[in-house]
């Protein structure tokens, strides 16, 4: 279970401290986009598996345990999961949170479009930090689990931020500035939750919604990116890496207990 990730007498990390790991992850993704773009599909496939594993083997079991303690059958959490999935889908389609297919419209390469798209990613990264902070209100172990999924996801955010800026012919200096802003956004988001307290009854639906959001990110965002960057002969290899990512998460959760 998620609670098994506690470290005994060791003082748990705070939500803000956890969010600094996303800072590193986002920067790493952006820098890799600048240097190793032709090999990133491997990391993307593996990170999608990690996120799927976090949801299936850690987050959902904790949701049902919390529901049981509150005398609920878990249905509010499942409603939250569906709503979280659909909400992120709507944001992606209508607010351009992830414009990963802009390359299909090469005639629309304008620096301002790249900046606006990167700003949308920064706003989303801020909400990632909020997600870590609110999950931390359930327990430090839940916050850690959510942070693991966000760290894997924010690697892709860094990649996308630099990719969108360079795609629309922005200078490298501007791309790096947007990358730093995107990396700082989750830290600021986590810090903002220090002044916010979520009622216990709302935590289960919230965690369900966050699980739905993560499922969408893994299945409809990261995996399509990975396969679009790989050749036809690498599809099976990518599926294997995704399965490996999920297996690594399952193993970590099982042996942590």
């Amino acid at each position: 279970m998620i609670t098994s990730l506690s470290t005994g007498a060791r003082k748990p990390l705070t939500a803000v401290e956890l969010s600094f790991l996303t800072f590193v992850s986002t920067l790493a993704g952006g820098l890799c986009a600048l240097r190793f773009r032709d090999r990133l599909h491997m990391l993307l496939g593996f990170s999608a598996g990690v996120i799927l594993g976090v949801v299936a083997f850690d987050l959902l079991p904790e949701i049902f345990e919390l529901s049981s303690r509150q005398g609920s059958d878990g249905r509010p959490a499942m409603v939250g999961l569906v709503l979280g999935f659909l909400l992120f889908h709507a944001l992606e389609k209508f607010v351009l949170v992830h414009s990963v297919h802009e390359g299909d419209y090469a005639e629309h390469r304008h620096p301002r479009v790249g900046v606006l798209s990167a700003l949308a990613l920064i706003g989303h990264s801020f909400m990632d930090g909020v997600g870590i902070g609110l999950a931390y209100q359930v327990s430090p172990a839940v916050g850690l689990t959510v942070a693991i999924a966000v760290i894997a996801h924010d690697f892709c955010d860094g990649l996308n931020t630099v990719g969108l800026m360079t795609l629309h012919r922005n200078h490298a200096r501007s791309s790096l500035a947007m990358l730093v802003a995107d990396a700082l956004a989750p830290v600021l988001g986590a810090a903002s939750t220090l002044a916010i307290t979520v009622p216990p009854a709302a935590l289960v639906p919230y965690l369900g919604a966050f699980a739905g959001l993560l499922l969408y990110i893994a299945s409809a965002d990261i995996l399509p990116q990975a396969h679009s960057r790989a050749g036809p002969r690498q599809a099976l290899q990518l599926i294997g890496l995704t399965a490996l990512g999920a297996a690594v998460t399952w193993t970590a959760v099982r042996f942590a207990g």
Side-chain angles (χ1 to χ4, degrees), residues 55-246:
V55 172
F57 306 132
D58 234 347
L59 195 53
L60 286 179
E62 178 67 16
I63 287 171
F64 285 114
E65 183 174 319
L66 286 173
S67 297
S68 178
R69 290 205 295 261
Q70 295 179 8
S72 171
D73 60 2
R75 291 184 184 180
M78 294 302 96
V79 171
L81 186 147
V82 173
L83 291 177
F85 189 99
L86 293 177
L87 175 62
F88 198 84
H89 174 65
L91 288 174
E92 185 180 51
K93 298 304 179 184
F94 299 113
V95 190
L96 297 179
V97 173
H98 284 299
S99 303
V100 295
H101 300 298
E102 284 289 331
D104 295 337
Y105 305 96
E107 66 274 14
H108 296 296
R109 295 184 180 182
H110 304 293
R112 289 184 180 180
V113 175
V115 171
L116 290 174
S117 299
L119 287 173
L121 282 170
I122 291 169
H124 168 56
S125 294
F126 180 86
M127 295 309 299
D128 281 344
V130 172
I132 294 174
L134 294 182
Y136 196 88
Q137 292 184 20
V138 179
S139 74
V142 176
L144 176 60
T145 298
V146 170
I148 290 172
V150 171
I151 288 166
H153 168 227
D154 278 5
F155 179 89
C156 304
D157 272 356
L159 183 157
N160 284 334
T161 299
V162 172
L164 287 168
M165 290 291 287
T166 56
L167 175 66
H168 293 286
R169 299 177 182 175
N170 286 277
H171 294 298
R173 183 177 298 178
S174 298
S175 299
L176 288 174
M178 283 294 183
L179 175 62
V180 172
D182 191 29
L184 285 172
V187 181
L188 298 176
S192 72
T193 63
L194 297 177
I196 301 172
T197 301
V198 178
L203 286 174
V204 167
Y206 160 73
L207 287 177
F210 200 79
L213 184 149
L214 292 177
L215 283 175
Y216 184 88
I217 287 171
S219 62
D221 184 10
I222 298 179
L223 279 178
Q225 286 190 69
H227 285 274
S228 69
R229 296 171 189 272
R233 296 182 180 179
Q234 295 176 309
L236 186 59
Q237 186 178 13
L238 278 177
I239 293 172
L241 285 170
T242 302
L244 177 62

